Amino acid sequence: PDVRPTKTGDGQVTANNNIPAAATSDAITLDLSRGVWDKFRMFRSHMFTVTGDSWTQLSSSRLLCLGAQTSVDRLYELTELVTNWSGPMSIAVFVPDIELGIALRYIQYLRGCHPAIRSQVSFHLIYPRDHPGVREVALDEVVGSLDCKQPKQVLQFMLDTREKDMMTWRTSYSYPQNLLRNLVKAGCQTNYTYIPDIDMVPTPGMDLRLETFLAKDQELGNCTKCAFVIPTYEISTEAGRLPANKTELVSYIGDKKARQFHQAVYSINQKSSDLKRWEKIPETDNIETAYKIEKYIFKYEPLYVARGDTPPFDERFIGFGMTRNTQVYEMYVAGYSFHLLNNAFTSHWGFQSYSTRPVWRAKQMEENNGKFDEFAKEVSPIFTKECVVQNSMFLLCSCQRTTMQIHTTC
């Protein structure tokens, strides 16, 4: 096919633009009868559908694993993510209907084109009960002829095989992101996990500096209930490239080419992190703790590195709204402390705005907000603390550490 680029992939690719001949025969097999249901029997997962060639070695030699979730239409983002991560990566992909078949062919393409993906990444595939995965899709004859330097365009070519009837329900179908986060976390075999979204890119070398930091933390005392927070920033598409370090990021902020993630659409997202303070701390060679977060603000949802035994993400929240922040709230109630790291951060392409968000997303957020009261009543008893929900607007929590009033619509 004539697949023309608008932007080439950023990851390392094979010398030849086309997939190596040996890789084209490396088809991925999947036995659909061996899928595992979630606890609500709404979604079926196939863990380790594909395992990275160096997965076992990396998982035993590294302290930290990156786990990310995505729908199949964003899977091309992996080519940029893997560029700045040399450790094990656990990736969950949501694949209803023929998107399962598309994902299998596209993963085959990615593994053939990108040695790092073939080596480091293990894939887990998930589809819903009402739209079960379909393996058969007429793409086998073209997989070996697709251009390795055009991952986004190749994926779009594959996605175009979906029928219009499918798209009437697919576009607004509720995405089970918390289930997928739990699966990638469970897939990680290391002591520590880092769970960003697939389009949140670490800085070059951040993974190795985190390894050094975590090894030192273990030597000094191994805080079992510490979450090490990594700030996230939106980067303007006018910037040309992502900032390579904190000094560049601060320069981008001054030039209005970068800003805090969700600053315009959900400012409370990272408010507890006090990133204005973080931005003033000069860059150093090593990653260290910059400061401890003293004031928890409800609906805080940072990205963080922590031990793998943190509370799971609550899977009743499906679609957008109340996904990350409910899990962080459980951590807070359980006694976790949050610490900002001095030099680490991730970048997300593009400035977010309400104008780019569809109507169906707001509806999903409203539905998830309606589930909050039930969630709030359960959380404190789990961790032997008293919480009383007065009404749908206010939550009063009396905990061993503090008494706080939380406004659920901040």
Side-chain angles (χ1 to χ4, degrees), residues 37 41-43 94 96-97 127-132 169 173:
W37 289 108
R41 301 192 71 81
M42 293 174 60
F43 301 97
F94 187 53
D97 205 275
Y127 49 80
R129 180 181 59 191
D130 53 349
H131 295 287
W169 59 264
Y173 194 86

Side-chain angles (χ1 to χ4, degrees), residues 191-204:
N191 288 341
Y192 295 86
T193 59
Y194 171 52
I195 315 293
D197 293 339
I198 200 163
D199 53 2
M200 296 174 174
V201 184
T203 54

Side-chain angles (χ1 to χ4, degrees), residues 13-27 108-115 118 143-149:
V13 296
T14 56
N16 189 326
N17 284 359
N18 290 343
I19 303 176
T24 62
S25 61
D26 190 17
Q108 178 187 352
Y109 158 83
L110 289 175
R111 284 169 54 86
C113 289
H114 296 265
R118 187 179 189 93
V143 169
S145 62
L146 299 175
D147 192 337
C148 283
K149 292 186 176 181

Side-chain angles (χ1 to χ4, degrees), residues 94-258:
F94 187 53
V95 289
D97 205 275
I98 67 165
E99 289 184 7
L100 171 61
I102 293 170
L104 292 172
R105 274 67 173 188
Y106 191 67
I107 291 170
Q108 178 187 352
Y109 158 83
L110 289 175
R111 284 169 54 86
C113 289
H114 296 265
I117 292 178
R118 187 179 189 93
S119 174
Q120 299 166 227
V121 182
S122 290
F123 293 92
H124 323 292
L125 304 183
I126 299 91
Y127 49 80
R129 180 181 59 191
D130 53 349
H131 295 287
V134 176
R135 288 171 299 184
E136 293 72 26
V137 58
L139 288 170
D140 289 333
E141 70 278 6
V142 299
V143 169
S145 62
L146 299 175
D147 192 337
C148 283
K149 292 186 176 181
Q150 302 179 76
K152 184 175 182 178
Q153 292 71 35
V154 166
L155 179 56
Q156 188 58 55
F157 168 77
M158 293 185 176
L159 291 171
D160 286 345
T161 61
R162 297 177 297 181
E163 299 289 342
K164 289 184 178 179
D165 288 347
M166 176 180 176
M167 301 314 296
T168 59
W169 59 264
R170 179 64 186 92
T171 302
S172 60
Y173 194 86
S174 294
Y175 175 63
Q177 51 187 299
N178 273 0
L179 168 63
L180 270 63
R181 288 183 178 122
N182 285 335
L183 292 175
V184 299
K185 184 180 170 186
C188 283
Q189 305 298 300
T190 54
N191 288 341
Y192 295 86
T193 59
Y194 171 52
I195 315 293
D197 293 339
I198 200 163
D199 53 2
M200 296 174 174
V201 184
T203 54
M206 188 179 91
D207 59 329
L208 296 179
R209 291 195 294 274
L210 284 170
E211 290 282 335
T212 301
F213 167 80
L214 293 171
K216 183 178 179 181
D217 180 69
Q218 287 188 331
E219 291 176 2
L220 294 177
N222 192 19
C223 178
T224 58
K225 283 196 171 184
C226 286
F228 301 108
V229 176
I230 297 176
T232 306
Y233 283 80
E234 298 173 357
I235 309 301
S236 170
T237 52
E238 297 179 0
R241 65 177 178 83
L242 298 177
N245 52 54
K246 184 177 181 179
T247 301
E248 281 194 2
L249 173 65
V250 172
S251 176
Y252 276 32
I253 294 170
D255 294 336
K256 300 188 184 303
K257 292 182 179 179

Side-chain angles (χ1 to χ4, degrees), residues 360-393:
W360 54 261
R361 178 164 176 166
K363 183 179 179 181
Q364 290 180 3
M365 294 178 71
E366 182 180 355
E367 290 175 352
N368 278 338
N369 282 334
K371 299 175 184 177
F372 176 76
D373 282 1
E374 178 186 359
F375 161 81
K377 290 175 182 177
E378 296 173 1
V379 168
S380 256
I382 291 175
F383 300 109
T384 66
K385 299 180 180 182
E386 297 178 2
C387 286
V388 179
V389 176
Q390 284 197 332
N391 53 50
S392 62
M393 296 297 290

Side-chain angles (χ1 to χ4, degrees), residues 47-48 55 59 63-69 88-92 122 124 126 177-196 224 304-315 324 327-328 330-331 336:
M47 296 294 289
F48 293 97
W55 175 260
S59 295
L63 291 171
L64 180 61
C65 168
L66 184 153
Q69 42 76 32
M89 302 175 71
S90 175
I91 305 297
S122 290
H124 323 292
I126 299 91
Q177 51 187 299
N178 273 0
L179 168 63
L180 270 63
R181 288 183 178 122
N182 285 335
L183 292 175
V184 299
K185 184 180 170 186
C188 283
Q189 305 298 300
T190 54
N191 288 341
Y192 295 86
T193 59
Y194 171 52
I195 315 293
T224 58
Y304 60 83
V305 170
R307 291 173 60 89
D309 56 0
T310 53
F313 295 87
D314 196 308
E315 295 175 12
R324 282 188 183 277
Q327 191 260 357
V328 172
E330 286 198 41
M331 291 173 65
Y336 280 79

